[in-house]
Amino acid sequence: MTTLLVLLLWVSLPAAPQSPLTLDESMHRWAYEHAPAHLDDQARIEHLFAAMLDENGLGLHERSGHSPTAREAFLEGRADCVGFALLFTALARSVHLPARLAVSVDIEVVGGQRNLRIAEGHVAVQVTASPHADTLMVDFGGIYRPPPGSFALVDDQTVFAIYYSNRGTEALLDGRPASAVVWLESATLLEPDLAGAWLNLGVARGRLGDRHGAIEAYRRALELDPSSAASENLAHLQAR
């Protein structure tokens, strides 16, 4: 009798929250305390923003390269634009203020390691104080009226993908390409049209010696965005 041996391989996936917008009860109470219902929506938006940055409130500080969930940003007191946007959106929604996440139309391309290029974007929050009020954007810089066409609204699933993509990029820049690949592949599964995630996935795969996978990711990034820096990365990879 022949014995069949089955080998089980366990893959370590990144620990992900139920949603990067999830709040706990103490955060709900904090939001109601700093955006009381007796104020009009405009005042509540301003009070909530001020309390997030005020040292006597949350004292939230900007830290580039670190994308926490809303809850992590609340507890740690530091975040990049994504963490700020997640926290403000979650707090605003908890007190019934209309808040939607938006991404900048222009993507900044920055230098990575080994002359490769990495995509970065900006995330902010769109709020409207009333049906007839102007649309406002909120980020670390303040509350302002954005130039027309400078931001595109996104749904929560896209935001979740951006969160995964940013965590992958953090891992990539921190010299952990294997972890980066897991995060970035998760991002592309959630949002297949996220060109920046494909670009950075190509970099991460290349770091692991996966030439074919890197080329595939760069080509996908170029399909989605012909102006992507993926063309430069692809040329660099082929030259090597």
Side-chain angles (χ1 to χ4, degrees):
M1 182 176 67
T2 302
T3 302
L4 178 64
L5 298 178
V6 179
L7 178 63
L8 297 178
L9 298 179
W10 294 89
V11 178
S12 177
L13 296 176
Q18 186 176 37
S19 164
L21 294 168
T22 297
L23 302 183
D24 60 30
E25 187 56 37
S26 66
M27 296 169 72
H28 284 290
R29 290 196 301 270
W30 188 92
Y32 275 105
E33 178 184 346
H34 292 89
H38 70 271
L39 299 176
D40 62 43
D41 284 357
Q42 179 71 35
R44 297 172 78 209
I45 291 168
E46 293 171 355
H47 277 63
L48 188 61
F49 173 77
M52 283 176 58
L53 299 188
D54 196 306
E55 292 298 333
N56 295 320
L58 284 186
L60 189 67
H61 291 277
E62 186 170 9
R63 177 189 170 187
S64 61
H66 175 58
S67 291
T69 64
R71 187 171 184 275
E72 289 169 343
F74 187 88
L75 295 174
E76 296 171 3
R78 56 185 182 172
D80 63 358
C81 69
V82 174
F84 175 93
L86 290 171
L87 179 57
F88 188 90
T89 298
L91 293 172
R93 289 178 181 177
S94 75
V95 293
H96 309 294
L97 286 170
R100 295 189 62 185
L101 286 122
V103 297
S104 58
V105 173
D106 295 326
I107 300 296
E108 180 182 3
V109 177
V110 298
Q113 297 137 340
R114 301 181 193 170
N115 298 319
L116 296 181
R117 311 292 277 169
I118 292 174
E120 289 186 351
H122 181 61
V123 178
V125 185
Q126 177 181 288
V127 289
T128 306
S130 70
H132 304 293
D134 290 339
T135 296
L136 301 172
M137 299 304 295
V138 184
D139 58 23
F140 266 115
I143 303 171
Y144 56 94
R145 292 175 177 80
S150 56
F151 283 90
L153 291 173
V154 292
D155 59 25
D156 286 357
Q157 179 167 306
T158 300
V159 174
F160 204 10
I162 290 171
Y163 166 76
Y164 267 97
S165 179
N166 278 23
R167 293 299 297 265
T169 304
E170 287 177 42
L172 179 61
L173 294 175
D174 196 35
R176 295 179 287 111
S179 177
V181 165
V182 177
W183 284 108
L184 291 162
E185 286 182 347
S186 298
T188 58
L189 286 173
L190 282 171
E191 183 51 73
D193 293 338
L194 204 60
W198 285 106
L199 168 60
N200 295 345
L201 177 58
V203 176
R205 285 175 172 174
R207 292 281 190 273
L208 294 176
D210 181 5
R211 179 185 175 86
H212 176 76
I215 290 173
E216 180 183 50
Y218 288 146
R219 286 177 175 168
R220 180 59 177 151
L222 285 170
E223 288 175 7
L224 295 168
D225 179 10
S227 65
S228 169
S231 59
E232 184 179 343
N233 286 6
L234 187 59
H236 180 76
L237 180 63
Q238 291 172 334
R240 290 177 58 199

